[in-house]
């Protein structure tokens, strides 16, 4: 368990990818989740760029365990047909990138936030979003299967409109319709906290389809997330006990990027590694 931990590169938006890898290695993490948003990876990678990242991985001794696909406005539940085609093209390219980098899994958001969806509160648009998600999976899963990459759908913190597919209660029945080798779930602990959902219930519902985690704390419901564990209100003992109860065997990926006042991102990563050592052993 302690060897299957990762640190997301989103924790180092203050430096380039090479320096991020160096600090993650120095902090003692054996793996990373490569976050595919600026400033590190903000476009489909060319072969020389993939080679460069693989060289960083080899040089630092860090495995690229997972990648987080591009987010806003890219998602599965895109109601506009032209935008949907753009999203599918982008996600298809990043599934190839995940395979080229040797990642086992790729995180994808089921839906985009309402700010990226025209007339998001319209009931007809809500249904179009809901319909687009399985349509997207039908398109992407044959690609993922061919490339041996598992797509993991993430629970999300959106609560401004009644979104579909943002928690495990809705996501689990969705993924159950598809092969488990190529479609799973990823639990974002901070997103559960923001919505004020029950962490034990979310983990239990995800059950055997849970393949990944984004581990971070949140100061209060509807508050700031992506802070370090034990700095918010989440119950870390209960969280781990429930993961163990469902026999979770995926990576423990820490997605922290909000330091305390006067704390550097490097110090934050070191703190998180020390927490992981005590929490997981």
């Amino acid at each position: 368990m302690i060897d299957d931990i990762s640190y997301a590169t989103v924790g180092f938006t203050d430096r380039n990818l090479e320096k991020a890898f160096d600090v993650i290695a120095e902090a003692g993490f054996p793996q990373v989740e490569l976050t595919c948003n600026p400033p590190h990876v903000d476009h489909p990678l060319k072969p020389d760029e993939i080679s460069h990242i693989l060289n960083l991985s080899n040089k630092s001794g860090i495995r690229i365990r997972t990648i987080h696909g591009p987010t806003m406005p890219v998602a599965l539940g895109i109601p506009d047909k032209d935008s949907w085609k753009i999203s599918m093209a982008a996600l298809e390219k990043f599934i190839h990138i995940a395979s080229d980098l040797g990642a086992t899994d790729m995180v994808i958001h089921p839906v985009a936030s309402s700010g990226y969806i025209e007339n998001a509160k319209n009931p007809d648009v809500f249904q179009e979003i809901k319909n687009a998600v399985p349509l997207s999976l039908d398109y992407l899963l044959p690609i993922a299967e061919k490339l041996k990459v598992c797509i993991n759908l993430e629970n999300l913190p959106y609560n401004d409109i009644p979104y579909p597919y943002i928690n495990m209660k809705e996501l689990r029945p969705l993924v159950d319709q598809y092969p488990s080798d190529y479609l799973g779930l990823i639990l974002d602990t901070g997103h559960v906290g923001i919505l004020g959902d029950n962490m034990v219930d979310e983990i239990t519902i995800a059950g055997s389809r849970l393949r990944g985690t984004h581990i971070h704390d949140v100061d209060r419901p509807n508050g700031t997330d992506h802070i370090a564990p034990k700095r918010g209100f989440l119950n870390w003992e209960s969280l781990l006990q429930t993961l163990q109860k469902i026999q979770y065997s995926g990576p423990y990926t820490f997605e922290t990027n909000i330091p305390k006042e006067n704390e550097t991102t490097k110090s934050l990563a070191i703190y998180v590694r020390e927490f992981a050592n005590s929490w997981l052993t």
Side-chain angles (χ1 to χ4, degrees):
M1 184 190 300
I2 195 64
D3 293 329
D4 201 1
I5 64 170
S6 297
Y7 200 78
T9 58
V10 71
F12 292 102
T13 57
D14 60 343
R15 65 195 72 203
N16 63 31
L17 197 57
E18 182 173 5
K19 292 180 179 178
F21 268 75
D22 287 342
V23 174
I24 291 169
E26 185 178 345
F29 289 92
Q31 304 177 123
V32 298
E33 175 169 283
L34 187 65
T35 309
C36 296
N37 278 316
H40 298 141
V41 178
D42 60 355
H43 60 277
L45 299 172
K46 299 175 182 178
D48 62 325
E49 293 172 314
I50 289 172
S51 295
H52 173 66
I53 293 175
L54 287 173
N55 286 336
L56 295 181
S57 172
N58 292 330
K59 176 185 174 183
S60 62
I62 296 177
R63 176 190 179 191
I64 300 170
R65 179 69 160 85
T66 58
I67 76 167
H68 194 313
T71 55
M72 311 304 180
V74 175
L76 300 180
I78 302 296
D80 176 74
K81 290 184 179 180
D82 289 337
S83 298
W84 179 83
K85 291 178 181 178
I86 293 171
S87 279
M88 291 305 102
L91 291 170
E92 180 175 354
K93 289 176 181 177
F94 277 94
I95 293 172
H96 280 271
I97 289 170
S99 177
D100 290 341
L101 292 174
T104 61
D105 298 72
M106 174 173 162
V107 181
I108 295 180
H109 284 185
V111 297
S113 71
S114 60
Y116 291 88
I117 300 174
E118 189 175 353
N119 300 318
K121 296 183 179 181
N122 184 312
D124 292 337
V125 173
F126 171 88
Q127 189 59 47
E128 289 171 1
I129 293 172
K130 191 169 185 177
N131 293 342
V133 171
L135 182 66
S136 299
L137 291 174
D138 290 342
Y139 177 82
L140 293 172
L141 279 180
I143 301 166
E145 181 174 1
K146 180 180 179 180
L147 296 172
K148 309 300 182 187
V149 174
C150 184
I151 293 172
N152 294 330
L153 305 185
E154 181 177 358
N155 61 301
L156 297 170
Y158 310 144
N159 56 10
D160 55 331
I161 63 173
Y163 274 104
Y165 302 127
I166 65 167
N167 57 30
M168 297 305 177
K169 184 178 180 180
E170 292 194 51
L171 287 170
R172 176 63 195 262
L174 173 69
V175 303
D176 276 344
Q177 300 174 51
Y178 297 88
S180 59
D181 286 345
Y182 303 108
L183 185 65
L185 298 168
I186 178 167
L187 175 84
D188 188 297
T189 60
H191 293 172
V192 176
I194 285 177
L195 293 182
D197 288 342
N198 185 292
M199 187 74 70
V200 171
D201 288 348
E202 287 289 275
I203 296 171
T204 303
I205 292 169
S208 61
R209 298 303 289 260
L210 188 64
R211 285 191 50 120
T213 51
H214 282 162
I215 302 171
H216 51 107
D217 217 331
V218 55
D219 60 1
R220 65 189 186 284
N222 291 310
T224 300
D225 63 344
H226 296 284
I227 61 177
K230 294 284 189 178
R231 293 180 179 175
F233 78 93
L234 297 185
N235 185 325
W236 291 92
E237 289 72 24
S238 174
L239 197 165
L240 182 59
Q241 288 170 4
T242 310
L243 288 171
Q244 292 171 337
K245 186 175 181 179
I246 68 165
Q247 299 181 318
Y248 172 70
S249 59
Y252 290 78
T253 302
F254 291 85
E255 195 184 40
T256 54
N257 63 356
I258 306 294
K260 294 193 300 184
E261 186 177 357
N262 298 323
E263 181 182 42
T264 66
T265 55
K266 176 180 177 179
S267 296
L268 174 61
I270 292 171
Y271 168 89
V272 170
R273 176 57 169 158
E274 291 172 349
F275 166 81
N277 288 343
S278 61
W279 187 52
L280 296 174
T281 55

